[in-house]
Amino acid sequence: MTMIPKDEAKNTVYQVHYRPNDNDANAILRVALLIAGKDRCYLCKNRVTFTGAAIDHIIPRTIPSADLKPIKEKHLTPAQAEVFDLHRAHNLAPICIGCNSTKSNSTFEDVPALTLWLKVAHERQVAVEKTVTDLRSESGIKSAMSKLLASDLSSATVQECLAALGPSLIDRFRSEVPAVLEGPSAYAYKGENSDHGWDGHSFGDGPLVRPIVLDEHSRRAKIGLEEVFRWDFDEALDIAFDAVDRAIKVVLADQIVADSPGVEEGSSAEPGSVEGLTTITVNEVRIEEGTVFVRGSYESDGSAQIAIVDYQNDSGTTWDQGDTESQGVFEVPLSDEQGKPEAGDVILN
């Protein structure tokens, strides 16, 4: 066995790359990729947290060598192709669980965006590798925090330790580095729209709610909702999402009628039930003057049959099929006195 002298071992450069079956090293790498990517999934651009993210190989690590060569020639510069390694940071990016499931082992070799994704990954490589090196350093707080990130927090022993030391740690953060507590954090939404997931979601399942991330003010509003209003936070969100979904369908129905070529002067139209998929993203929750406001953005598409009645002739009712889509932001108020909000109470822009 060859022994490495101590002095030489000290100067050995740690190679930053994805390490199969090394959860501790990959946890630190995931943190570095999220920092460089500003906590957003590189595909859908939505905000993602550590627990809701994975490390994605932009070009899948399972790709055969024969298939990799033409992709490198098409999407990389000669200099990039020469040093390319599937497991290095220039082929890695943070991805949300939904996009990771959808992408699977797709290579996207014919998608122009692949060139951009790889270009961005190359530009971030130095920053990612420096962050990993810093987090792995054996000096004080960096080492302690990196070990915490890589720990199995579901362990009963770890949870007991966190329960004992967590409050004191939070107090120190609050007094000395409040920015840590002001950052966004994931919320494990368990309402009626939470079990659909990204696969198999059909038009009749209600709105699809993207992973919820709460800022500091939203976390405070959640506490106020639960402790002052005595509301269940998930149930309150469900009420808001239902109102938003109904309001969006009203807008879609109006658009379908307006865009129908069969609706002419002298005729009237009545749209049927709008079927479609609405995706909702929560941006903030606020309590203002005793009213809770849930705000966010949405993307929606829908289709409906239209019954067209022409009063100028005897042709009777004709039927048309219309499709449309809409996106924008929403605001829905919730209060005890108001009861469940109607579609008209929701503000859409």
Side-chain angles (χ1 to χ4, degrees):
M1 183 173 68
T2 303
M3 302 296 292
I4 300 177
K6 287 186 178 179
D7 290 342
E8 186 178 338
K10 272 185 188 178
N11 295 325
T12 300
V13 177
Y14 177 80
Q15 295 296 321
V16 177
H17 58 79
Y18 179 86
R19 298 170 183 266
N21 304 317
D22 189 341
N23 292 333
D24 290 357
N26 292 335
I28 296 173
L29 178 57
R30 193 182 350 162
V31 171
L33 290 167
L34 282 167
I35 292 172
K38 301 187 185 302
D39 295 321
R40 293 192 179 275
C41 169
Y42 84 101
L43 286 181
C44 68
K45 307 303 180 186
N46 285 312
R47 190 174 291 280
V48 65
T49 63
F50 179 81
T51 54
I55 296 175
D56 185 54
H57 288 72
I58 300 173
I59 299 177
R61 56 176 170 160
T62 55
I63 190 171
S65 299
D67 296 338
L68 177 59
K69 184 177 179 181
I71 292 178
K72 291 198 298 183
E73 291 175 349
K74 182 177 181 179
H75 295 281
L76 297 174
T77 66
Q80 291 171 344
E82 185 177 354
V83 298
F84 185 81
D85 184 325
L86 287 168
H87 293 309
R88 293 288 298 276
H90 52 235
N91 187 48
L92 305 175
I95 189 170
C96 71
I97 302 303
C99 287
N100 195 33
S101 174
T102 302
K103 178 178 182 277
S104 187
N105 286 326
S106 303
T107 58
F108 293 115
E109 64 263 33
D110 296 324
V111 178
L114 178 58
T115 303
L116 176 62
W117 297 334
L118 291 170
K119 177 178 180 291
V120 171
H122 273 85
E123 291 172 349
R124 293 174 177 172
Q125 179 175 349
V126 172
V128 169
E129 293 182 347
K130 182 180 185 304
T131 300
V132 170
T133 302
D134 288 346
L135 288 174
R136 287 188 73 258
S137 69
E138 293 302 321
S139 58
I141 191 68
K142 287 182 179 178
S143 177
M145 293 301 290
S146 64
K147 289 177 182 177
L148 177 61
L149 286 172
S151 295
D152 177 11
L153 300 185
S154 65
S155 161
T157 304
V158 172
Q159 289 189 1
E160 183 180 347
C161 178
L162 290 175
L165 300 178
S168 298
L169 186 61
I170 290 173
D171 284 343
R172 280 204 71 182
F173 282 155
R174 185 175 288 113
S175 63
E176 298 181 38
V177 277
V180 173
L181 300 179
E182 292 170 359
S185 60
Y187 172 68
Y189 166 64
K190 297 178 182 178
E192 62 185 30
N193 300 292
S194 62
D195 295 329
H196 299 305
W198 290 80
D199 297 323
H201 189 96
S202 68
F203 287 168
D205 287 334
L208 173 63
V209 179
R210 296 195 184 220
I212 295 178
V213 177
L214 302 178
D215 61 13
E216 180 190 16
H217 295 288
S218 296
R219 290 196 297 269
R220 290 179 181 174
K222 174 181 177 295
I223 294 172
L225 251 168
E226 294 172 337
E227 296 187 358
V228 178
F229 289 78
R230 299 297 180 187
W231 290 359
D232 180 272
F233 190 55
D234 287 335
E235 289 182 6
L237 291 177
D238 285 341
I239 292 170
F241 296 153
D242 177 65
V244 171
D245 193 40
R246 285 184 281 116
I248 291 171
K249 282 183 168 54
V250 171
V251 170
L252 293 179
D254 291 343
Q255 289 180 1
I256 288 171
V257 170
D259 295 341
S260 174
V263 181
E264 300 175 350
E265 186 177 350
S267 64
S268 65
E270 185 68 31
S273 175
V274 177
E275 299 294 331
L277 178 62
T278 296
T279 303
I280 290 176
T281 302
V282 175
N283 294 336
E284 63 178 29
V285 181
R286 298 288 189 269
I287 298 179
E288 299 170 2
E289 298 181 356
T291 299
V292 178
F293 291 92
V294 180
R295 301 181 177 112
S297 58
Y298 70 92
E299 298 173 4
S300 187
D301 58 65
S303 62
Q305 282 194 322
I306 311 170
I308 303 172
V309 180
D310 190 341
Y311 298 105
Q312 296 181 347
N313 57 52
D314 299 326
S315 61
T317 301
T318 59
W319 295 88
D320 192 10
Q321 178 75 28
D323 303 284
T324 191
E325 59 184 30
S326 179
Q327 61 183 17
V329 296
F330 68 83
E331 175 183 281
V332 53
L334 304 172
S335 68
D336 275 330
E337 292 146 4
Q338 170 193 349
K340 285 192 176 183
E342 300 296 330
D345 297 322
V346 180
I347 298 175
L348 299 178
N349 289 310

